[in-house]
Amino acid sequence: GFLDREDFKDFYKFCFQFNRQGTHKTLEKDLVIALLPICLSGGRVPSERLQSFCEFLETTKDESYSKITLDQWRSFLDFCYEVEDLATYDESSSAWPVLIDEYVEFMEKKAKDGKKK
Amino acid sequence: MVLYSQASCGTHSSGTLQYFLIKFRTCYDMCTQRSPYNWSRDLYQRHGETIEQYLQNTVLPALNDKSGQGGTILLNELKHRWNNHQIMNKWLKKFFTYLDRYYVKHHSLPTLEQAGLRHFKDVVYENVKEQATGAIISLIDEERDGEIIEKSLVKSIVELYENMGLGGASLESYTNDLEQPLLDATRAYYARKREEWIAKDSTPDYLIKVEKALAEEKARVTEYLNPASEPKIRLVVEDEILQKVQMNLLEKEGSGCRVLLANDKSEDLQRMFQLFSRLDNGLQPMASIVESFITSMGNACVEKRQAKLDSGEKEKNDDPEFVKSLIDLHEKYLGVIRETFSGHHLFQKALKNSFEVVVNQDVGQYSNAELMSTFCDRVLESGGEKLNDSEVEESLDRIVQLFSFLTDKDLFADIYRNQLAKRLLNQRSSSDDAEKLMIAKLKVQCGTQFTSKMEGMLNDLAVGSDQKSEFDARMEQHDTKLSFSVQVLTTGFWPTYKTPEVSLPANMTKCLEIFTEWHDAKHQKRKLSWVHSLGNATVKSIFGKKSYDLQVTTLQAVVLNTFNDGKTFDFNELKKILNLNDLTLKPLMHSLSCGKYKVITKTPANNKINSTDSFTANAKFSSNMRKIRIPMASLDPSHNKNRVEEDRSWTIEAAIVRIMKARKTLKHQELIAEVLSQLSFFRPQPRDIKKRIEALIDREYLERSAENSDMYNYLA
């Protein structure tokens, strides 16, 4: 990509802020699901991670995630950079937003169900 | 030399003073002559040699002679020889005192006494000690098996050993030559006994034997061993018969610790406690068993409650049986710990741990916090439990103890405040002192902040009653034909109530105006809001020829007043006249027309209020009683769970901000730990704390550190 990691973080943050409507501080979840693949195109983030995260957002029934905050948006990218292997994820010491904790939980459950089949 | 031949016979001559003086003088003379006639050195040498020869030629053979004949015989001979030696040593020393005084000192030689002992040690003791030790140990083992032995004999020999530690007070010989073998033998003996006992004895029986053995060993040392051996022997015995089988004893089927607890075997438990106290960390395993036992007893109470609910019993916010069962359980084991376990802190902790688990197990719709608050309500309300003052205090004391184990203390406080308000406003509290007592106890547990609102409520009432007579005087100046009093509540202390702006009749409005005028004159800065949903009235009413005193709420009184003179209204008309909504008017009308005392007639007559109904006063109403209370459903919910949740969110956020403001930057895990330690009245999940952190990040109180995704910075 034409930007290194740190610069890209700024661009990525800008993507969120640019899309905000009026005085709202958050983005609708559906918009986020559409935006993420665009912003993170070109292998910035492993495609599997990107896809599964969007799937998680789509399927979660938690009302509080109907709007996504800047903190959650930014944390997703940082999370992708820092945590490559979900198996190493430790919720008890994690400072990541609860959204990420629940995403990891979602993935763990998926893996378990996959094994059962 | 005459002296020596006399000495060598080894017996004590019944020396007269004369005899002694002759010997002493001779020695003196020998030692004070000028050289080469000074015999000091020779005398000293000869002294040693003579003793040595005597021991070698006479004493040792005599002992060897007795050696194959059994322990006691050898020991007796040894005792005899040792006694002789002591006497001989003493007299020789006396005779040759002059040598000791000058020659020995001058040349820094061992004194005559020391030399004598040394010779005994080298010639006799070293050759005989093994057998003597063996003999003593055999005797001791015999005594352990219950036989009688010659204790004084053993004691004498022990003294020999004690004296063989040269260099004054050294117990070296005793320690190495007797004590150590004895410890080894003790260990072997008790290891054997342990295997014997553990195979067939129940735990209590085994422990009785342990107690006995330890007492015996202690007595033995006092009777004929050196005191230094007491702790060493004790440790060996404790190790062999207690330490090594500790878990076995505790967990023995049919008689282990759990069984003893279940059957309240306090004597056996006390013995067990005292014995295990002797061991290093000996009480922790026992305390763990006690903790798990009490927890299972508590869980049984919870399961009983669950079973009741499962069997279809109607759920109420009141379960006195359950609460009492927990209180009784706690009291029982408080007593057991005090008396059987000497109040030991490990056991107190065990009780606390188990109750913290049990008390927080909620089953059914109503939390234990609520059940406990309702329990207090019963104790504190008039016409509730009939208890005298000390019983009330005791009950409250015990419920507060149970309360101390509750995690959701803030939930309890919220419910308690609501119930307190009801008691106070409906004058259903049996005693002001009892209310204060309870609040004081909660204050001791939780601090001033926890009880400040409750105290505020009581204070409002106290102020009200103080000012009542003043206001009454003012009322008398006006002629409203109504007897009227007002209770002022400080907002914030009391639960929030609905304030329906009902249209009051003129005479009531006048009363309100009088009060407002009087009040505003006193307190310019305060604003009054009338809470008509609370408040009571007594309505004097005449139905036919009979008159009644109806005890009703303010709103009911207003409705009744509307129906004076036989007027009829339908529901919607009433809504307009009274300025009330459906939510308020329906229960109101229901209480007056569908309850036990139908003072208002509803058309059509059924049990549901519809907007098409019409109402009029029931001219045919009658009752045997003169005073009638017409109850009405409360318009305000008993307590708001959501509000407690909201309050928790605020409290967590306030804690986070406080901590971050002080620390400026902090790692995630440290922040979580700090927050949890500051929250005393509830315990949130880490995820909930994280959500609050995220909310604060969103509101820009904090930010994530750019360098370290694990850290937060405070944003001023």
Side-chain angles (χ1 to χ4, degrees):
Chain A
F2 64 99
L3 290 173
D4 67 5
R5 272 195 176 186
E6 284 311 305
D7 289 338
F8 182 74
K9 279 191 195 178
D10 289 338
F11 170 73
Y12 175 73
K13 177 179 169 189
F14 170 77
C15 287
F16 181 94
Q17 291 166 320
F18 181 73
N19 281 289
R20 284 195 294 218
Q21 302 275 25
T23 55
H24 292 167
K25 292 173 77 181
T26 56
L27 292 183
E28 298 280 327
K29 183 170 76 167
D30 292 335
L31 181 56
V32 167
I33 294 173
L35 267 180
L36 277 174
I38 301 174
C39 299
L40 297 175
S41 69
R44 281 283 168 184
V45 146
S47 66
E48 198 243 294
R49 176 69 60 90
L50 179 56
Q51 260 172 19
S52 58
F53 186 69
C54 290
E55 188 192 327
F56 161 69
L57 285 178
E58 271 178 69
T59 53
T60 182
K61 300 204 175 43
D62 193 328
E63 279 299 311
S64 59
Y65 298 139
S66 62
K67 302 224 192 310
I68 303 296
T69 65
L70 176 59
D71 182 44
Q72 287 165 326
W73 172 269
R74 293 171 78 189
S75 294
F76 175 65
L77 180 65
D78 291 340
F79 170 70
C80 290
Y81 281 162
E82 280 183 47
V83 180
E84 282 180 22
D85 181 8
L86 291 186
T88 62
Y89 190 83
D90 174 22
E91 186 186 332
S92 61
S93 60
S94 112
W96 299 109
V98 178
L99 179 68
I100 305 288
D101 292 337
E102 294 197 5
Y103 162 69
V104 173
E105 223 177 65
F106 167 82
M107 291 299 280
E108 281 171 4
K109 188 163 179 298
K110 235 176 100 167
K112 249 198 221 156
D113 290 344
K115 273 197 197 142
K116 276 193 204 152
K117 289 173 193 153
Chain B
M1 289 259 219
V2 171
L3 276 171
Y4 285 103
S5 59
Q6 279 186 323
S8 71
C9 82
T11 52
H12 178 201
S13 355
S14 52
T16 61
L17 188 58
Q18 272 284 37
Y19 183 82
F20 171 74
L21 280 173
I22 294 170
K23 308 302 174 202
F24 184 85
R25 187 61 207 256
T26 315
C27 170
Y28 176 81
D29 289 338
M30 287 173 79
C31 295
T32 49
Q33 287 170 184
R34 287 193 183 218
S35 69
Y37 299 113
N38 187 306
W39 299 109
S40 304
R41 191 182 66 172
D42 284 5
L43 212 52
Y44 184 81
Q45 261 179 296
R46 278 298 210 106
H47 167 270
E49 281 164 17
T50 310
I51 290 180
E52 201 177 342
Q53 274 169 29
Y54 171 69
L55 292 174
Q56 195 78 281
N57 298 334
T58 311
V59 175
L60 192 55
L63 283 167
N64 283 333
D65 197 44
K66 303 275 193 283
S67 66
Q69 298 175 32
T72 325
I73 294 183
L74 174 67
L75 292 179
N76 270 314
E77 183 65 29
L78 184 57
K79 176 179 174 179
H80 172 60
R81 295 291 168 185
W82 167 243
N83 281 344
N84 285 351
H85 184 80
Q86 285 177 300
I87 293 165
M88 178 174 81
N89 221 21
K90 180 174 95 176
W91 282 102
L92 284 177
K93 172 183 145 158
K94 284 188 174 174
F95 294 152
F96 300 124
T97 305
Y98 197 78
L99 263 184
D100 252 348
R101 224 179 264 166
Y102 294 103
Y103 179 76
V104 167
K105 271 217 177 97
H106 195 58
H107 289 85
S108 304
L109 291 163
T111 66
L112 294 173
E113 190 177 5
Q114 284 167 348
L117 271 179
R118 174 104 239 168
H119 289 303
F120 189 88
K121 179 170 184 192
D122 291 342
V123 176
V124 176
Y125 174 77
E126 290 297 331
N127 286 314
V128 136
K129 67 183 182 183
E130 249 176 73
Q131 291 176 61
T133 300
I136 290 177
I137 289 179
S138 300
L139 285 176
I140 289 180
D141 276 350
E142 272 172 45
E143 191 182 46
R144 283 172 175 157
D145 281 335
E147 312 222 3
I148 314 263
I149 64 169
E150 276 179 68
K151 294 194 230 214
S152 56
L153 172 60
V154 179
K155 193 169 168 63
S156 313
I157 304 298
V158 167
E159 276 165 13
L160 164 60
Y161 280 84
E162 285 170 341
N163 280 295
M164 290 289 98
L166 299 175
S170 162
L171 278 179
E172 207 185 317
S173 296
Y174 170 82
T175 309
N176 295 337
D177 302 328
L178 180 59
E179 194 183 66
Q180 192 52 57
L182 176 58
L183 289 174
D184 294 336
T186 304
R187 191 176 278 285
Y189 180 83
Y190 281 106
R192 217 170 50 237
K193 284 291 157 187
R194 173 192 72 234
E195 293 308 313
E196 236 179 74
W197 296 342
I198 201 80
K200 32 184 193 74
D201 288 331
S202 69
T203 296
D205 288 342
Y206 182 97
L207 291 174
I208 289 174
K209 289 185 179 162
V210 170
E211 210 177 39
K212 186 156 164 280
L214 286 167
E216 274 174 23
E217 291 302 324
K218 188 166 179 181
R220 174 164 302 116
V221 174
T222 316
E223 279 173 351
Y224 51 78
L225 296 174
N226 185 287
S229 300
E230 198 268 319
K232 299 179 195 177
I233 292 181
R234 178 165 47 83
L235 281 170
V236 166
V237 178
E238 283 171 358
D239 190 45
E240 287 298 321
I241 59 176
L242 272 182
Q243 181 74 62
K244 291 190 170 158
V245 283
Q246 184 182 26
M247 291 319 288
N248 189 323
L249 288 169
L250 284 173
E251 292 168 356
K252 212 176 235 273
E253 211 176 302
S255 67
C257 183
R258 246 195 132 83
V259 173
L260 297 177
L261 284 167
N263 294 308
D264 296 320
K265 297 281 186 199
S266 45
E267 204 186 293
D268 293 325
L269 286 167
Q270 197 170 27
R271 181 173 301 112
M272 184 186 268
F273 169 77
Q274 282 163 350
L275 289 174
F276 285 133
S277 308
R278 292 160 168 261
L279 304 175
D280 264 344
N281 192 29
L283 291 175
Q284 186 54 61
M286 199 175 162
S288 300
I289 294 182
V290 170
E291 183 177 323
S292 113
F293 177 77
I294 298 178
T295 309
S296 66
M297 296 289 281
N299 284 340
C301 295
V302 175
E303 280 157 29
K304 200 162 163 216
R305 172 170 154 76
Q306 177 77 74
K308 261 193 337 200
L309 296 178
D310 287 343
S311 76
E313 202 178 279
K314 179 155 180 247
E315 264 214 79
K316 297 181 285 184
N317 73 345
D318 188 20
D319 192 347
E321 204 182 292
F322 170 66
V323 175
K324 190 141 199 314
S325 71
L326 290 182
I327 288 179
D328 289 343
L329 184 67
H330 186 257
E331 271 310 297
K332 176 175 176 182
Y333 285 98
L334 215 53
V336 166
I337 290 169
R338 199 175 45 236
E339 278 145 29
T340 310
F341 302 130
S342 307
H344 191 277
H345 68 91
L346 276 181
F347 293 87
Q348 285 182 0
K349 186 117 210 326
L351 181 65
K352 178 167 183 279
N353 291 347
S354 67
F355 266 80
E356 276 175 358
V357 167
V358 172
V359 163
N360 290 303
Q361 291 202 60
D362 292 335
V363 296
Q365 199 189 341
Y366 296 104
S367 63
N368 289 347
E370 185 155 0
L371 298 180
M372 280 165 35
S373 181
T374 311
F375 187 88
C376 295
D377 193 52
R378 272 171 166 255
V379 171
L380 292 166
E381 71 169 357
S382 52
E385 313 266 338
K386 300 260 186 292
L387 302 168
N388 67 34
D389 283 350
S390 66
E391 282 170 335
V392 166
E393 164 129 38
E394 198 182 77
S395 271
L396 294 180
D397 221 20
R398 291 181 181 172
I399 195 76
V400 171
Q401 277 176 1
L402 213 59
F403 161 82
S404 70
F405 301 120
L406 207 55
T407 311
D408 291 340
K409 294 192 169 74
D410 60 345
L411 185 60
F412 176 92
D414 198 64
I415 299 172
Y416 186 83
R417 271 202 302 275
N418 274 330
Q419 290 175 334
L420 173 64
K422 283 208 185 110
R423 286 196 297 275
L424 294 177
L425 296 178
N426 297 326
Q427 278 131 12
R428 264 180 40 237
S429 167
S430 75
S431 143
D432 211 40
D433 285 339
E435 298 285 356
K436 288 198 181 122
L437 192 63
M438 179 64 183
I439 292 173
K441 286 184 197 295
L442 289 174
K443 193 149 115 174
V444 166
Q445 265 295 331
C446 300
T448 326
Q449 225 192 2
F450 192 77
T451 53
S452 58
K453 289 184 187 171
M454 300 172 200
E455 289 184 317
M457 286 158 75
L458 284 183
N459 195 47
D460 279 348
L461 256 56
V463 164
S465 76
D466 279 349
Q467 301 193 333
K468 187 173 180 331
S469 48
E470 195 188 314
F471 179 66
D472 284 349
R474 171 65 68 91
M475 277 298 288
E476 269 177 31
Q477 293 169 14
H478 303 261
D479 181 25
T480 56
K481 299 196 178 64
L482 293 177
S483 143
F484 173 68
S485 68
V486 178
Q487 177 59 53
V488 181
L489 310 177
T490 310
T491 316
F493 291 161
W494 299 78
T496 36
Y497 297 108
K498 293 209 174 83
T499 52
E501 295 198 1
V502 61
S503 302
L504 297 172
N507 51 5
M508 283 186 173
T509 310
K510 183 89 174 56
C511 294
L512 263 58
E513 280 167 6
I514 298 169
F515 182 81
T516 310
E517 201 191 305
W518 174 81
H519 174 271
D520 289 350
K522 276 177 153 281
H523 309 279
Q524 283 91 0
K525 294 241 174 90
R526 289 191 191 169
K527 179 172 171 294
L528 289 176
S529 303
W530 293 94
V531 185
H532 296 300
S533 57
L534 302 173
N536 299 303
T538 307
V539 175
K540 187 151 181 241
S541 51
I542 301 175
F543 290 89
K545 299 231 178 81
K546 263 185 96 172
S547 80
Y548 300 91
D549 286 336
L550 302 178
Q551 283 162 336
V552 293
T553 63
T554 304
L555 289 176
Q556 284 171 317
V558 172
V559 168
L560 290 174
N561 185 65
T562 319
F563 286 101
N564 258 332
D565 306 319
K567 300 202 186 84
T568 304
F569 298 102
D570 67 29
F571 188 81
N572 289 322
E573 284 177 304
L574 278 174
K575 271 175 76 171
K576 285 213 190 80
I577 298 170
L578 298 172
N579 190 34
L580 291 173
N581 60 20
D582 278 20
L583 215 54
T584 314
L585 190 55
K586 281 194 180 175
L588 198 44
M589 296 315 298
H590 191 279
S591 67
L592 295 170
S593 61
C594 309
K596 189 171 171 194
Y597 303 104
K598 297 181 173 58
V599 289
I600 300 286
T601 312
K602 180 172 97 82
T603 317
N606 56 31
N607 222 18
K608 197 163 178 295
I609 306 289
N610 293 307
S611 45
T612 48
D613 292 344
S614 81
F615 302 90
T616 187
N618 181 4
K620 297 213 189 81
F621 176 78
S622 88
S623 166
N624 292 331
M625 302 203 291
R626 210 212 131 93
K627 275 203 174 106
I628 303 174
R629 190 170 155 260
I630 308 186
M632 187 183 129
S634 166
L635 295 173
D636 295 291
S638 66
H639 96 100
N640 193 349
K641 268 189 189 146
N642 289 335
R643 197 184 46 234
V644 174
E645 287 301 322
E646 272 171 39
D647 283 349
R648 286 181 177 181
S649 290
W650 295 131
T651 311
I652 298 174
E653 287 190 6
I656 295 171
V657 172
R658 203 165 47 233
I659 293 165
M660 289 305 297
K661 190 168 179 191
R663 308 283 283 266
K664 300 292 181 237
T665 173
L666 200 55
K667 280 184 79 167
H668 172 80
Q669 284 197 279
E670 286 171 25
L671 178 58
I672 299 282
E674 269 297 314
V675 169
L676 284 172
S677 78
Q678 285 196 16
L679 299 176
S680 351
F681 304 134
F682 63 100
R683 197 169 177 79
Q685 294 298 319
R687 269 198 189 176
D688 293 330
I689 302 180
K690 268 217 272 202
K691 289 202 167 154
R692 295 294 106 221
I693 294 175
E694 287 179 55
L696 289 170
I697 290 175
D698 205 45
R699 296 190 338 251
E700 295 178 31
Y701 279 86
L702 319 174
E703 65 178 6
R704 294 183 192 274
S705 156
E707 292 86 36
N708 187 344
S709 62
D710 215 28
M711 289 190 69
Y712 304 103
N713 296 330
Y714 179 69
L715 294 171

